[in-house]
Amino acid sequence: MKKIINAPQAYTEDMLRGIYKAHSKEVKYVHDDLHCYCTTKKVPNKVAIVTGGGTGHLPLFLGYVGDGLIDGCGVGKVFQSPTPNQIFEISKEVNQGAGVLYLYGNYTGDIMTFDMASEMCEMEDIKTASIVGADDVNSGEMAIRRGVAGIFFMYKAAGAKADELASLEEVLAAAQLAKDNTRTVGFALSPCVIPEKGVPNFTLAEDEMAMGMGIHGEPGIWNGPIKSSYEIAKESLDTLLEDMPVSEGEEVCVLMNGLGATSLEELYILYNDVESILSEKKISVYRTFVGEYATSMEMGGASISICKMNDELKKYMDHPVNTPFVRL
Amino acid sequence: MKKIINAPQAYTEDMLRGIYKAHSKEVKYVHDDLHCYCTTKKVPNKVAIVTGGGTGHLPLFLGYVGDGLIDGCGVGKVFQSPTPNQIFEISKEVNQGAGVLYLYGNYTGDIMTFDMASEMCEMEDIKTASIVGADDVNSGEMAIRRGVAGIFFMYKAAGAKADELASLEEVLAAAQLAKDNTRTVGFALSPCVIPEKGVPNFTLAEDEMAMGMGIHGEPGIWNGPIKSSYEIAKESLDTLLEDMPVSEGEEVCVLMNGLGATSLEELYILYNDVESILSEKKISVYRTFVGEYATSMEMGGASISICKMNDELKKYMDHPVNTPFVRL
């Protein structure tokens, strides 16, 4: 296993210690638990937004905690859910009296965690609402669809709306609007290693890629020889636009996300093809985000997300954000 | 070769097309040459800062073009220098009458390129000054030392000073101050592939790392079994602080740079150890930068840079920057 680590069992905690040391002004933990990650800022009457999920996807999930985005994050061990109690403790800390929105990925463990935390909050008269990201088109029907990089657009919309001091229902509606208009297609080129296991989480041949693979190595829709950037862009956009039609003259935001080991150079090569294909279809790009937004440690590969714009979403996209990990 | 590309020979140009499409408001090319990369903003009477170098190190070099940093960048092919004429054309574009500072890494090809461009500028009465980054301690004596991630601190200092509308000599002095106080140690865990060659640029065994390896795969000072994060931090800081002593009570900025394939999680694990060791030595950290600042495509590994602070440098470090790649 080629990783810069100490004891594999200490992976998540060592990482968290490093993060708190590097960004001590902006973030802190509560309940004497490193896994209960919160912003240091409190804005009275603002709806608080809490997310959570397993370690190994930086900047997802905790990296989105900060100005203009979200307020707290339950940090699980590698690819594992945080506990209900951790989410409850975070909720108590970040709640400013306006309620708490739970916004996280559509995974069974996380759903159980947040549902239980929601019940615990109810008993303390903290109002909550929940919405899951489920943007990964190739992972199935909407109800079982996994949440991946497209959750970024939901954080962005909800965070911007919350900053307007909107109600919990309005912040939920902003997240829902982003969700309804966002789709992602991803693909893997090489695996990652879960520290405590020490072996790659899947195997791909030297010339092989996996279209539709999930960010935990969930199988995709086909494995086969690596296609060219143009071919990958074409197939991905065909899938995205079949699932969510975008008409001539409409605008989208594009998120080009690297899964960990894939270079920024390649993301821009791929974007060059994505933009060309969109341009042929007379779909224009309102804004492009390129970089690592939802990774799988050192996994190779990328994902393409599109978020169809309207005036409301454009306003959310342009709202400034500033966290230790994401500044836009 | 596991890369998302089209024709390997088109790697650099396809990447540049993607970048110009994604960031068309902020950057442009001049002289009808994609490789002549410039900011779209002009600030009258500001000293212009121009850099350049080979492709494959994003965000180095072109990613530093933008507000608060630098003005133009000559983009060579993968690991190759730009041409003198490209640097000359960029210089003519960005010069605002206050002269042009050339700030780039200490590599033979780049030195020849910038020296020739400087002569071409002289004939057109454009004043230039030059300084090279040479922060990679394990690459030898100062005169031959390679420039790596620590050049970030030079861009930051020079860019902040230029924004004060200081003179060319003053901007050069700011870059020199950052240079004198910056040292880097890097190490590799896995190689990258130059697209046109199609094979890894070096080989390391499954349990092996290379201490001191350069960002083009230049051999380091030892190859051996992968050490723990703490051991790597200890050896790196010993090397850094022997080369540039920092006393108890002094402050440093720390730059934790990923070489491409190494996860953000690991950079924070390593930072946790770096900070602990500095803290034992009663050296405090003024500011920490963690992420990808100078990569080698999909190479695995990292580098640790320290920049010793004084009041002047602190001011430069806190100066806001905003480029398509770097926002601080």
Side-chain angles (χ1 to χ4, degrees):
Chain A
M1 173 170 47
K2 291 216 146 177
K3 287 186 192 277
I4 309 163
I5 58 173
N6 295 303
Q9 317 82 265
Y11 184 90
T12 301
E13 290 73 19
D14 283 352
M15 172 200 80
L16 285 168
R17 284 187 195 98
I19 292 172
Y20 291 119
K21 285 177 177 176
H23 311 298
S24 58
K25 283 178 195 150
E26 297 116 307
V27 292
K28 64 176 183 182
Y29 56 94
V30 296
H31 196 54
D32 206 22
D33 181 349
L34 290 169
H35 299 254
C36 295
Y37 186 99
C38 299
T39 173
T40 53
K41 274 199 192 161
K42 302 208 175 190
V43 180
N45 305 317
K46 190 181 89 71
V47 168
I49 306 169
V50 173
T51 194
T55 287
H57 304 298
L58 284 180
L60 200 65
F61 298 87
L62 64 82
Y64 295 99
V65 172
D67 300 351
L69 288 171
I70 64 175
D71 302 278
C73 176
V75 183
K77 289 204 165 245
V78 176
F79 295 177
Q80 292 178 26
S81 300
T83 68
N85 197 54
Q86 286 164 345
I87 301 300
F88 175 56
E89 292 297 337
I90 293 165
S91 303
K92 285 194 291 186
E93 169 68 23
V94 299
N95 177 42
Q96 295 298 307
V100 183
L101 178 67
Y102 291 158
L103 201 182
Y104 57 97
N106 193 20
Y107 298 93
T108 311
D110 295 320
I111 293 169
M112 286 174 58
T113 286
F114 280 94
D115 282 354
M116 287 181 65
S118 179
E119 287 173 25
M120 294 160 86
C121 283
E122 202 173 312
M123 292 196 282
E124 303 246 343
D125 284 331
I126 297 170
K127 203 166 126 188
T128 65
S130 289
I131 183 168
V132 294
D135 51 310
D136 190 355
V137 178
N138 281 325
S139 62
E141 292 306 302
M142 193 61 87
I144 60 158
R145 204 169 266 187
R146 296 185 296 260
V148 287
I151 200 171
F152 163 76
F153 290 115
M154 296 171 69
Y155 290 144
K156 194 107 186 48
K161 192 71 190 175
D163 273 358
E164 294 175 16
L165 301 185
S167 69
L168 182 57
E169 291 68 28
E170 290 168 324
V171 175
L172 174 65
Q176 184 70 49
L177 181 67
K179 175 177 176 168
D180 293 343
N181 287 285
T182 298
R183 298 293 187 279
T184 298
V185 164
F187 53 90
L189 271 65
S190 58
C192 63
V193 173
I194 296 175
E196 293 201 45
K197 294 192 180 163
V199 292
N201 60 343
F202 58 86
T203 322
L204 287 173
E206 189 41 48
D207 70 337
E208 199 181 18
M209 67 180 282
M211 174 55 75
M213 179 166 273
I215 59 173
H216 309 96
E218 298 93 339
I221 55 165
W222 59 258
N223 286 14
I226 299 178
K227 295 190 174 187
S228 73
S229 167
Y230 179 82
E231 289 166 331
I232 294 171
K234 181 77 172 61
E235 175 172 341
S236 301
L237 286 172
D238 284 348
T239 303
L240 291 167
L241 298 175
E242 190 189 316
D243 200 74
M244 180 183 70
V246 179
S247 309
E248 266 192 38
E250 286 195 292
E251 288 174 278
V252 295
C253 279
V254 179
L255 171 63
M256 305 295 303
N257 171 57
L259 290 182
T262 291
S263 67
L264 257 180
E265 286 82 358
E266 289 164 85
L267 295 182
Y268 279 103
I269 289 171
L270 184 60
Y271 179 66
N272 182 45
D273 292 314
V274 166
E275 199 276 346
S276 291
I277 295 166
L278 290 173
S279 176
E280 280 164 23
K281 295 179 190 292
K282 305 210 184 329
I283 296 167
S284 62
V285 179
Y286 181 68
R287 200 162 162 175
T288 309
F289 303 91
V290 186
E292 292 183 350
Y293 287 82
T295 63
S296 189
M297 296 184 287
E298 73 282 12
M299 191 160 141
S303 66
I304 304 169
S305 304
I306 56 173
C307 181
K308 192 160 61 166
M309 290 290 106
N310 62 18
D311 288 345
E312 185 178 346
L313 283 168
K314 282 184 191 174
K315 189 181 63 174
Y316 300 150
M317 293 305 126
D318 292 338
H319 186 70
V321 304
N322 186 6
T323 87
F325 292 79
V326 186
R327 289 173 197 85
L328 295 166
Chain B
M1 173 171 47
K2 291 217 148 178
K3 287 184 191 277
I4 308 164
I5 58 173
N6 295 302
Q9 317 82 266
Y11 184 90
T12 301
E13 289 72 19
D14 283 352
M15 172 200 81
L16 285 168
R17 284 187 196 99
I19 292 172
Y20 291 118
K21 284 177 179 177
H23 310 299
S24 59
K25 283 178 196 151
E26 297 115 307
V27 293
K28 63 176 183 183
Y29 57 93
V30 296
H31 195 55
D32 206 23
D33 180 349
L34 290 169
H35 300 254
C36 295
Y37 186 98
C38 298
T39 174
T40 52
K41 273 200 193 161
K42 302 206 174 190
V43 180
N45 304 316
K46 190 180 89 69
V47 167
I49 306 170
V50 172
T51 194
T55 287
H57 305 297
L58 285 179
L60 201 66
F61 298 87
L62 63 83
Y64 294 99
V65 172
D67 301 350
L69 288 171
I70 65 174
D71 301 277
C73 176
V75 182
K77 290 205 163 244
V78 176
F79 295 177
Q80 292 178 27
S81 299
T83 67
N85 197 54
Q86 285 164 344
I87 301 300
F88 175 55
E89 292 296 338
I90 293 165
S91 303
K92 284 194 291 187
E93 169 68 23
V94 298
N95 176 43
Q96 295 298 308
V100 183
L101 178 67
Y102 291 158
L103 200 181
Y104 57 97
N106 193 19
Y107 297 93
T108 312
D110 294 320
I111 293 169
M112 285 174 57
T113 286
F114 280 94
D115 282 354
M116 286 180 67
S118 179
E119 286 173 26
M120 293 160 86
C121 283
E122 201 173 313
M123 293 195 282
E124 302 247 342
D125 284 330
I126 298 171
K127 204 165 123 187
T128 66
S130 289
I131 182 168
V132 294
D135 51 311
D136 189 356
V137 178
N138 281 325
S139 62
E141 292 306 303
M142 193 61 86
I144 59 158
R145 204 169 266 188
R146 297 185 295 259
V148 287
I151 200 171
F152 162 76
F153 290 115
M154 296 171 70
Y155 290 143
K156 195 105 186 49
K161 192 72 190 174
D163 273 357
E164 294 175 16
L165 302 186
S167 70
L168 181 58
E169 291 69 27
E170 290 168 323
V171 175
L172 174 65
Q176 184 71 48
L177 181 67
K179 174 177 178 169
D180 292 343
N181 286 285
T182 299
R183 299 291 187 278
T184 298
V185 164
F187 53 91
L189 270 65
S190 58
C192 63
V193 172
I194 296 175
E196 292 202 46
K197 294 191 179 165
V199 292
N201 60 344
F202 58 86
T203 322
L204 286 172
E206 190 40 48
D207 70 338
E208 198 181 19
M209 66 180 283
M211 173 56 75
M213 179 167 273
I215 58 173
H216 309 95
E218 299 93 338
I221 56 166
W222 60 257
N223 286 14
I226 298 179
K227 296 190 173 186
S228 72
S229 167
Y230 180 82
E231 289 167 330
I232 294 171
K234 181 77 171 65
E235 175 172 341
S236 301
L237 285 172
D238 284 349
T239 303
L240 290 167
L241 298 175
E242 190 188 315
D243 199 75
M244 180 182 72
V246 179
S247 309
E248 265 192 39
E250 287 194 293
E251 288 175 279
V252 295
C253 279
V254 179
L255 172 63
M256 305 296 302
N257 171 57
L259 291 183
T262 291
S263 66
L264 257 179
E265 285 83 358
E266 290 164 84
L267 296 181
Y268 279 104
I269 289 171
L270 184 60
Y271 179 66
N272 182 45
D273 292 314
V274 166
E275 199 275 347
S276 292
I277 296 166
L278 290 173
S279 177
E280 279 163 25
K281 294 179 190 293
K282 305 208 183 332
I283 296 167
S284 60
V285 178
Y286 181 68
R287 199 163 164 175
T288 309
F289 304 91
V290 186
E292 292 182 350
Y293 286 82
T295 63
S296 189
M297 296 184 287
E298 74 282 10
M299 191 159 140
S303 66
I304 304 168
S305 304
I306 56 173
C307 181
K308 191 159 61 168
M309 290 291 105
N310 63 18
D311 288 344
E312 185 178 346
L313 282 168
K314 283 184 191 175
K315 190 181 63 176
Y316 300 150
M317 293 305 127
D318 292 337
H319 186 70
V321 304
N322 185 7
T323 87
F325 292 78
V326 187
R327 289 172 199 85
L328 295 167

